[in-house]
Amino acid sequence: MGTREVYEEKLRTRNLDRDPTLNLGLCSPQCPRYQWLGYCLNIHFVYPQMSILKYLGTSRHKLFAAGKYPKVLSFSTFHTTPNSSVELHSQEEEVVIALGSNVGDRLHNFKEALKLMKNSGINITRHACLYETAPAYVTDQPRFINSAVRAVTKLGPHELLSTLKRIEKDLGRIDGIRYGPRPIDLDILFYGKYKVRSDILTVPHERIWERPFVMAPLMDLLGSAIDSDTVAAWHSFSGHSGGLSGLWEDLGSESLIGEEGMYRVIPVANGLLDWSLKTSVMGILNVTPDSFSDGGNFLSVESAVSQVRIMISEGADMIDIGAQSTRPMASRISVEEELGRLIPILEAVVSMPEAEGKLISVDTFYSEVALEAVSNGAHLINDVSAGQLDCNMFKVMADLDVPYVAMHMRGDPSTMQNSENMKYDNVCKEISSELYSRVREAEMSGIPAWRIIIDPGIGFSKKTEHNLEILWGLPDIRKEIGTRSLSISHAPMLIGPSRKRFLSEICPRPVVERDPATIASVTAGILGGANIVRVHNVKDNLDAVKVCDAILRQKSSYMKSRH
């Protein structure tokens, strides 16, 4: 038996722990034994407590010559035949997995896939946006929804593949036409810093670079900054001098959204909402005795229903029902009292014929109220505290299939306007950082990014100058969040300046006469990128919304014509 055959036999009989001549930790990359291992065997075996992935064919690469990508990293290519080995892997690796579905209840398929992945040792850390896309390759089939997740796992690459295939089967996928209809499709896009080549698995996925419906969610998962060697490796695998970002730009980047049959959507009310088509108007219904603008006006079911009917007739897309005041210095009421105010009115509003096709939101920071509200027909939850006032909110929302509005606020309504909570050095940057940290925790708790709406919290722990900075700084807030997560920076943004005190400090008028000032602030917000405006006076604000949307459409048309 030759030297090579001796090493093959030793490795196949798994004598790494008994034969020091095979202790790769003692070898340099130039050692012949090291090179033979990366070359001659179609197996993947792990030395006890140490992944062989670290050692197979290691080479060092400078990522890009440009200063934008200055990191030096190490990654490997390894070739395996999974049937010839038992794959053991004790080191946690970061992975990217793409999801697609176009058969059955597509959103339910996604939810179940995420749940089964978590139960199988795939711990999801980030979610991309959700896209509805036209089918590719085989075009005579239903439209897909597509997304992707980042996760960490101790599963080896082929174990991971087997796990994903089992999940696909459990969710009803059967062998059929390649690129044809399927209830769920799960693809490994990246596995750590490694390239994988085998008969059944290629990583990075070989067709990433040509598919906008894969590239869009992949880019969502990456911040605009390169924050780790693993992310740097993913950029390098693209083969583009500008990394994945440069490749995405070459494909068309954001210009592709809304074109080529691909739309960024949020799932709500058993449908998919493309919030880019127009600005949504959310009408405010306070069923409280002490709200600053309309407290005590709509306490009865009859008066509440009458007000909702008026707002819908004036063009409201959404109705936001609040049964607990969050005005400055408001006292907190119990869950039971809030539910007592809310549920009779919510039930009546949901059953209104006029409410058909409208979205009903409930404004609450209590998880128990959120759960009951959704059980009684609410389509989304609007939480002014972004989970800070109820530690169970994220856990409850993770199990509910409704969008979640996370708003920036410091403290609670009784403390938010104290001097400490209104101290900022850079209001937009600090709002971005603090709001992102809340959304990040929500994601880690299981709320997908494609169900999150962000709100910078105008009037909550803000002085007048802060509120004005928010209105002209909405693009900066998105950009700052985008350095950490592009998916969250793409989320729908809600603003609620309606009749708030800062307007009276500029235009000294009583609450009921603040609608013109509200319209001005709503106009500034929409032109700065707000997607949902929360207002008391639907009729007059809707006119402002329509004009702003027309301006933005004209601007978009003009910019496209120049290119």
Side-chain angles (χ1 to χ4, degrees), residues 279 456 458-459 464 466-474 493-504 506-507 514-537 540-541 544-545 548:
T279 304
I458 292 174
T464 295
H466 299 147
N467 295 317
L468 297 176
E469 284 186 53
I470 290 170
L471 285 170
W472 62 256
L474 294 181
M493 182 181 285
L494 183 152
I495 59 167
S498 187
R499 298 180 180 173
K500 287 186 174 171
R501 181 181 299 173
F502 82 98
L503 298 174
S504 71
I506 302 168
C507 307
R514 294 177 192 168
D515 287 339
T518 296
I519 290 168
S521 59
V522 161
T523 297
I526 295 170
L527 296 179
N531 308 106
I532 305 168
V533 293
R534 184 178 181 272
V535 297
H536 296 87
N537 180 335
D540 292 342
N541 279 282
V545 166
C548 290

Side-chain angles (χ1 to χ4, degrees), residues 360-381:
I360 308 301
S361 167
V362 167
D363 182 357
T364 184
F365 50 72
Y366 282 138
S367 61
E368 297 100 318
V369 175
L371 182 60
E372 285 298 314
V374 174
S375 298
N376 284 275
H379 301 121
L380 61 154
I381 297 298

Side-chain angles (χ1 to χ4, degrees), residues 48 69 113 131 192 240 312 379 401 408 421-422 481 487 510:
Y69 301 109
Y131 295 84
H240 193 288
I312 290 176
H379 301 121
D401 293 324
H408 176 268
N421 283 330
M422 292 196 295
I481 291 175
S487 57

Side-chain angles (χ1 to χ4, degrees), residues 304-315:
V305 166
S306 177
Q307 177 66 5
V308 170
R309 187 173 288 117
I310 290 171
M311 290 192 289
I312 290 176
S313 71
E314 291 176 343

